[in-house]
Amino acid sequence: MSCHLPSNKSKNGKSNKNTINIALAGNPNVGKSVIFNQLTGLSQTIGNWPGKTVEKMEGYLDFLGYHFNIVDLPGIYSLSTYSLEEIVSREYVVSDDVDLIINVIDATNLERNLFFTFQLLELKIPMILAINQMDLLRKRNLDLDFKELEKIFKLPVLPLVAVHGTGVHQLLEEAIELVVYRHPHSHYMRRRSKASSHHGHHYYRVEHIHERSDPKVNIQKTFEFPNLFEITNFGKEVELKISVLIENIDRYTQKFSSCNYPSRFLAIKLLENDSEVLKIFTENQEGSRIIELSKGYREQLEELHGEDINTIISSEIYNKIKKVVDFVLITKAKKNVKRTTVSDFIDHLTTHSIFGYIILLLVIFGIYFFTFSIGDFLGGLLDDRFTIWSNFIHANFGENNIWVKIIWDGGLGGLFGAIGGVLVYVIPFFLVIEILQDSGYLPRAAFLMDRVMHSLGVHGKTIIPMILGFGCNVPACAGCRIMETEREKKISVALTSLIPCAATMTVVLGLVGRYLGFYWILILFIINFTVIFIVGKLLNKTLPGQCTELIMEMHEYRVPNFKVIIKQTWVRSKEFIFKALPIIIILGIVLEILLIFNALEPINTILYPVTFLWLGLPSITGVFLIYGILRKELTLVLLSVLANSLNSSLIVLLSPVQMIVFSLVTMLYIPCFATIILIAKQTNWKYAAQIAILEVGLAILIGGIIRFGFLIFSGF
Amino acid sequence: MVSIDILYKGLNMKMLQKSIQNKENQANGTPLVKCLTECEKGEEVVVLRVNAGRNAKTRLANLGVVPGVKITKTKNAPFKGPLEIIVKGSALVIGRGLASKIIVECNRACKN
């Protein structure tokens, strides 16, 4: 629901008198995150918007005696309802929490960036335009007339080169100036006066409604909002209808007072048939009447222009922007000659019909190799440490002490397992993702794979989390949030969870690779990808809805910003450490308790028909497979432990067929526990359970088929 | 070449006349109205109409693909995959299914 009750921010101790809340908004890839990093440093936290699967980046800094809370909104192109990110962003921006928007604009792509600016203007929030990448623009012998821009928008407009940090602090000075001195009726000032007076919450709420609903009151002498009618004029016919709608909305202001959107914004969105705004209006009778009215208007306008309303309005905005850009863009030299840059060359190579795919394979191999080699190295070090400490503890407190077992073997063992088995893979992996994302490679992969992915019911973007899945499924599933619709998210997480991750690969390499050779690894991979294909097809058939088409911006390549990459890697790892590790530790304790009471012994018996009779594996593997849910490579680790204790080797313990079946089952049978949690976060628990069950079923089915296939063939 | 019937769907009179005109041009071997997928690599064209669903259409409009705008097709993905266009200075990748619903007109200034 797009309505916000005024949230009482002062509950958060820090945010009272001198706090300024800033939202960073802008298109994707305009350098927003660089600015955010420079402003907030290491104070950032990463989380989700309440109840949504959209990432929320927050940070703070203190500057000139003010405390700035900065929220980095997701990069979006407009304030429609195309994706969840757009809805979340616009709801947040109009909430009482925001004093000021900093709209980051890419100077080299002015027209499209200003489209979003025009939409933000409609929200009537104090705003600063930060024009980034001015250095690139000047390199092209172009410049901007900032004075004219300020005049046109009646907003502070600042040049910025965020990668060098130029202009970032002027932003804050301008923010203070704008919020504190020039706009005395901002949320900020209201909070201030509230802190110093005894008026209750209610009083300010009323004042707030009044202010927002009447534009005349809203425009202060000291701070002037741009005349929207002048700037964002949609043409006579459209404006006429908008003004009638505004009148109607204003008449029943009390009815829609629970939302913070200005009437004009509501009117435009009503015309555009915006589903979220319609929800606000369907709540009462007057609203329904206004909806009817807007529907009539929409039909009239569409009839008149022979186009649908969104196209009409977008065209009008783009026409305006063209005029603005023509006016403010200064060409210094004669026409600049376009030359092929290194970026163009790499772009050509990575989207080439042959080399493109070769590079894609190399990238996947690179991710796997990097994650695996660093993770394996660090994990090995940690495991050695833990074994030494373990022996020490066992020697001192007795191996069979129940508390030692629960706390040490279970809790700390789980912790070390999580650090040594998961975290050491996750951190290098985050590093690779950030490099890939920052350089701009991933959209190229989507471009190449779009056709293939379409046959699985999703568009090319799905390949991005899937590529990441080769490193670790856990963050890769979280990465599925880039998919626009619920349906695509569901298919994406399912496909991603089936990608063999670095941990799974240890099992395959350690068992099949070591004893049977590369040839069999290839076969296992082919089976794995066939399964992915089948699951994709299956979900495509069963999930309601249709496959949407790919619409994606292809950014130019650029040299990754080292600082941003390191900070992002740290922020993401921090989130993983605090959110996923506790769960893993608790699970470790639970498993240990179950082991103490021999509760797992029956599992072997229960699983006996499946493991022994159907798959032909030793029945002890039942417990190993259960452990594998926690960490996939545990299946192999436990198998080796068993082999050691029996003074034999794996090759004696398992026949070649058993090895293949065991590896295959490990590859497919279930996403690891952390992955399941993330699937549930992206979709819901029911779906996560369904996926888990589906994968277990497939693993058992295919494992059995292979086993019996071997039996039959060897029989001949 | 898209069949002219598809083009008529939802076109207003002005465009209809244009299409008829184009049909005549076509007889002379110079088709002027076509869908984006039929364009050559590197060809600059003007968008006439987007015949897609509401969501995709809004998205494209927000990104600057509106009737009257000049676009350049720059890339074709292999295996009948998506294609890349330059619109207002930025590169946009559009799935082939959607691209086939974007009706464009060849700029008169360009030779073919």
Side-chain angles (χ1 to χ4, degrees), chain A residues 22-57:
Chain A
I22 294 179
L24 276 179
N27 284 186
N29 239 38
V30 292
K32 224 155 43 71
S33 58
V34 180
I35 295 177
F36 181 67
N37 268 300
Q38 300 211 328
L39 288 174
T40 57
L42 283 176
S43 73
Q44 29 183 291
T45 52
I46 192 169
N48 271 13
W49 292 89
K52 305 272 166 63
T53 53
V54 179
E55 224 169 55
K56 183 183 190 181
M57 300 279 287

Side-chain angles (χ1 to χ4, degrees), chain A residues 260-294:
Chain A
N260 287 329
Y261 296 114
S263 323
R264 189 184 149 85
F265 182 81
L266 289 176
I268 296 167
K269 289 295 162 196
L270 275 178
L271 267 185
E272 286 180 356
N273 209 6
D274 182 289
S275 53
E276 291 295 309
V277 168
L278 285 182
K279 268 190 225 159
I280 303 173
F281 278 82
T282 39
E283 273 168 13
N284 54 55
Q285 219 185 339
E286 283 80 11
S288 312
R289 200 182 55 76
I290 295 176
I291 289 176
E292 279 306 306
L293 190 69
S294 67

Side-chain angles (χ1 to χ4, degrees), chain A residues 90-254:
Chain A
R90 76 180 196 196
E91 280 176 16
Y92 177 70
V93 162
V94 294
S95 72
D96 283 0
D97 293 348
V98 177
D99 297 320
L100 177 84
I101 304 172
I102 293 178
N103 178 205
V104 184
I105 291 171
D106 178 1
T108 59
N109 199 344
L110 214 51
E111 286 189 51
R112 219 218 23 242
N113 278 265
L114 282 177
F115 182 84
F116 185 53
T117 309
F118 272 62
Q119 301 218 320
L120 285 175
L121 281 174
E122 300 284 4
L123 294 174
K124 291 194 171 182
I125 310 285
M127 183 155 81
I128 297 177
L129 304 187
I131 311 225
N132 193 21
Q133 302 190 359
M134 280 305 292
D135 53 334
L136 290 181
L137 191 75
R138 285 178 184 139
K139 242 184 223 167
R140 296 182 189 176
N141 281 325
L142 296 167
D143 210 336
L144 290 174
D145 189 339
F146 283 87
K147 283 221 174 93
E148 279 303 330
L149 269 174
E150 292 201 338
K151 256 192 229 161
I152 292 168
F153 288 107
K154 292 182 177 132
L155 294 171
V157 185
L158 291 174
L160 223 71
V161 184
V163 272
H164 301 151
T166 330
V168 173
H169 280 104
Q170 281 92 304
L171 266 182
L172 295 178
E173 283 163 20
E174 200 66 48
I176 296 169
E177 162 94 18
L178 189 63
V179 174
V180 181
Y181 299 109
R182 280 168 64 193
H183 192 226
H185 275 254
S186 60
H187 297 300
Y188 170 80
M189 292 312 283
R190 228 175 300 127
R191 262 201 320 270
R192 265 197 86 117
S193 57
K194 190 166 159 188
S196 57
S197 75
H198 296 288
H199 285 295
H201 185 72
H202 186 66
Y203 173 77
Y204 289 96
R205 182 67 202 145
V206 173
E207 181 202 53
H208 176 68
I209 294 163
H210 182 60
E211 199 180 308
R212 273 291 171 88
S213 57
D214 189 352
K216 274 175 205 147
V217 179
N218 208 353
I219 297 170
Q220 297 298 316
K221 271 174 196 160
T222 41
F223 176 83
E224 214 176 344
F225 273 113
N227 187 341
L228 288 173
F229 189 76
E230 216 172 78
I231 289 195
T232 62
N233 185 338
F234 298 136
K236 221 192 228 163
E237 300 98 3
V238 183
E239 284 299 332
L240 203 70
K241 291 180 167 99
I242 289 177
S243 61
V244 177
L245 283 176
I246 292 176
E247 248 172 57
N248 274 288
I249 294 168
D250 282 346
R251 200 177 304 156
Y252 302 107
T253 281
Q254 298 299 326

Side-chain angles (χ1 to χ4, degrees), chain A residues 78 272 318 347 550 552 554, chain B residues 54 62 75 90-91 93 95 97:
Chain A
S78 104
E272 286 180 356
Y318 270 112
D347 177 51
L550 176 71
M552 173 185 73
M554 199 99 116
Chain B
R54 194 178 162 269
N62 289 342
K75 270 191 209 109
S90 64
V93 173

Side-chain angles (χ1 to χ4, degrees), chain A residues 14 80 85 91 137 214 231 286 289 294 302 383 402 416 425 435 437 445 467 489 535 554 560 626 645 691 693:
Chain A
K14 261 185 175 172
S80 60
E85 289 162 353
E91 280 176 16
L137 191 75
D214 189 352
I231 289 195
E286 283 80 11
R289 200 182 55 76
S294 67
E302 288 181 347
D383 267 357
I402 194 164
F416 269 86
Y425 292 98
I435 292 172
Q437 262 168 0
I467 289 177
K489 245 179 225 165
V535 169
M554 199 99 116
I626 295 291
S645 66
I691 286 297
I693 291 167

Side-chain angles (χ1 to χ4, degrees), chain B residues 56-102:
Chain B
K57 207 169 168 173
T58 308
R59 182 66 161 178
L60 284 174
N62 289 342
L63 288 165
V65 183
V66 285
V69 81
K70 269 187 201 166
I71 57 173
T72 311
K73 184 168 161 185
T74 45
K75 270 191 209 109
N76 259 324
F79 313 122
K80 297 213 160 192
L83 40 90
E84 187 198 70
I85 58 165
I86 303 279
V87 56
K88 293 185 186 290
S90 64
L92 210 63
V93 173
I94 298 175
R96 182 159 290 259
L98 183 57
S100 67
K101 291 172 190 159
I102 300 176

